[in-house]
Amino acid sequence: MRCCTFSHLTFAGLLLNLSFASLAATPIQATSQQLDSILVTGIRTERALADIPVRTEVVSAADIEKTHAKDLQEALSHVPGLQLRPIHGKTGYGVWLQGIDANRVLILVDGNPVSASTGSAVDTSQIAVTDIERIQIIKGAASAMYGTSAMGGVVNIITRQHSQPVTASITASGGSWGDQDLKSNALAQRHLKGQVALNNDAWSFNLMADVRDQDGWTATPNSISNEGFKGHKRNLASQVQYRFSPDFMFTLSPRIYQEDLTNRLSEFAPGIGNVKVNKKEQTTTLHLGARLEKGSENEFNWSINALTENFKGETAQDKPVTQWVDQQRDTDIDQQLVSLQMNYPLGNHHLSFGGQVSEETMDVVQYKRTGSTTERLVEVDNATASTQEVFLQDSWFIGEHLELLPGFRAHHDKDAGTHLSPMMNSLFFTTFDSGDRINLRLGVGNGYRVANLKERYFVFDHSQFGYKVMGNPDLEPESSISYQAGIEWLKASNNARLELSLFRNDITDLIESDQDLSESAIQNLQIFRYQNFEKARTQGAELVLHTPLGLGFSFDLGYTWMEATDRITGKDLPSRPEHLVKLGLDWQTPLEGLVLTAKAKYESQQFTDSENINKTPAFSVLDLKANYTLNPHWRIFSGINNATNTQKDFTQADNRPEEGRFIYLGMGWKY
């Protein structure tokens, strides 16, 4: 078990001292965005970011444009304390917060949940960021207000609401992995996105499209296999809104996602040697959301949300030397949800209450073919999870400087029964004559999560590639107590921000997939099985700093120190680094319109297994970005992702980046 040694405290203290010194020495300089102008919905009602009792980070539309993010994965990559980890068994990345993995982080678009493409973790690379106003990240257990999937936190994507009669934009870019490209093509990856919005007093219509296409890449050029997929990811979304009156409106939001990806793998065939295997992933997700809302912010108001979503996924392993598809798995997931929220201002209280009902159904069938013989295996047969939830929250303002935020959520699952998740958050603030502000936030909450359908029933058989992941229908629900404390200093003269936060999550019956070493030895395969770890804990400290430096420079720092342990064995939970550092430097150059950006990340070494036998090395990654605004309508941009060319060893478990150095160039137009 790791402990907080003197060296850890010294490192954190040095960073803290340097940060305060930077704030004190910062010259007066205007910034592009003030904290009191950033509106967020971290407590289910819209408030200024500086006034939110629950700790919330924001990625703005300007941040997304500055870093040229193509999807949610790239948009979140520089958020302090946030990890992006590959999803086991497929392409894509999930969000980890405070050492809690992607199965426990809720992803929302305009308050509606996004279905997990694998039945557990949402693939952030499937979510385009074409027309996003901001992304809100809530860290820590938020089950009381957001439900069973939010033990680790919430990522809420807010789409842009256009007020102009006509707006439009289009952006194109392309790039290369250099000598790792599968084809000799200067544009091994292509990206095209566009948006058009029409708006009048009664109607608004917004259409967004995004296409990402690539030829693939390989880190092992002398091998049969390649690591980077060949194929495309496509998003098409629209939003139609009709306003019966200024405070009564109906919004319809259909979305389509489609991907067709191929990776080339190798498999050993007795008497032949290694042969090529094409691994194919085809996905189609159809989503329809509807929202009816009435009332204004300062009076009683209500909203009803409804969604239906269907996910169809097909994965296949095809040996070109045979005349048939050797193995194919078809996954079908349906989700329906209806929720109601009412907000009622009452003196110095602001009550929010409501409920939600949801149902999810999963079917998984695998086909194994040998010559004229086809074996059909039903891995999940119409498994269903249905829940009913109610919640209540009270923003209670006590005097001019203190807000208490008590709340609870009652959750009923047809298999796991009923559970009550309470929470309490508070915000105390004071403002000085200079305009500087100090915020003190304290919070405690009960997180709760029922095992999802994949964890209970899935049998992910990739025996031909050396592993199998097994579900477990006897899993117990997991529960946590999350403690959050933070102090924040907001400097009025230049919008500098310094925050020091402490967190601790005590988890009971944590559900994780882990390698069954004895069964692996018997079957001569890597056998992973979902199981309850009796007790686990993640705890640590996080330092966040944003400050202008003068001469057009501004600096960002995010440092997280974390312990993540199995409290029974005392061993570290895998894939959680003790130290995570994220740095950013922006320079508004003397050449008008030219902005240069550098983003760096460091992760300390970490174990890759629960037995703490294997470690992945510490590593650093550097991204470089350039933006040049030619006029109000046109801009050009370029960048180098992973300029340090840091890359994992694909022959073993390794948490270093998969993709090597990627260089790209692009152009954008907007009206």
Side-chain angles (χ1 to χ4, degrees), residues 290-309:
R291 179 181 178 90
L292 183 66
E293 53 190 316
K294 182 174 176 57
S296 61
E297 181 181 354
N298 297 319
E299 60 183 33
F300 175 75
N301 61 82
W302 56 264
S303 62
I304 299 174
N305 279 282
L307 70 85
T308 180
E309 187 167 277

Side-chain angles (χ1 to χ4, degrees), residues 66-70 173-176 189 624-626 637-641 662-666:
K66 179 178 64 179
T67 57
H68 320 140
K70 296 185 290 294
S173 65
S176 167
Q189 183 188 83
L624 302 174
K625 313 286 183 178
F637 58 89
S638 64
I640 307 175
N641 293 338
F662 179 72
I663 303 173
Y664 63 91
L665 178 68

Side-chain angles (χ1 to χ4, degrees), residues 162 195-199 203-207 238-241:
H162 297 275
Q195 164 273 328
V196 60
L198 306 174
N199 186 59
W203 287 91
S204 65
F205 172 77
N206 193 8
L207 179 65
S238 67
Q239 188 177 84
V240 182
Q241 185 178 90

Side-chain angles (χ1 to χ4, degrees), residues 53 315 590 603:
T315 61
E603 284 192 25

Side-chain angles (χ1 to χ4, degrees), residues 60-72:
S60 67
D63 295 327
I64 295 171
E65 184 173 288
K66 179 178 64 179
T67 57
H68 320 140
K70 296 185 290 294
D71 51 40
L72 183 60

Side-chain angles (χ1 to χ4, degrees), residues 339-342 352-356 389-393 409:
S339 66
L340 167 68
Q341 178 176 329
M342 294 173 282
S352 296
F353 49 95
Q356 173 179 299
E389 303 169 66
V390 294
F391 65 87
L392 172 66
Q393 170 187 276
R409 190 180 194 99

Side-chain angles (χ1 to χ4, degrees), residues 48-56 425-429 437 439-443 484-490 497 499-502:
L49 179 59
D51 297 332
I52 293 291
V54 180
R55 186 179 175 216
T56 305
N425 289 280
S426 65
L427 169 67
F428 174 80
F429 70 92
R437 172 169 166 161
N439 288 331
L440 177 64
R441 294 183 176 92
L442 298 173
Q484 308 288 326
I487 185 169
E488 180 182 41
W489 179 14
L490 305 175
R497 172 183 174 233
E499 181 182 21
L500 177 63
S501 301
L502 306 176

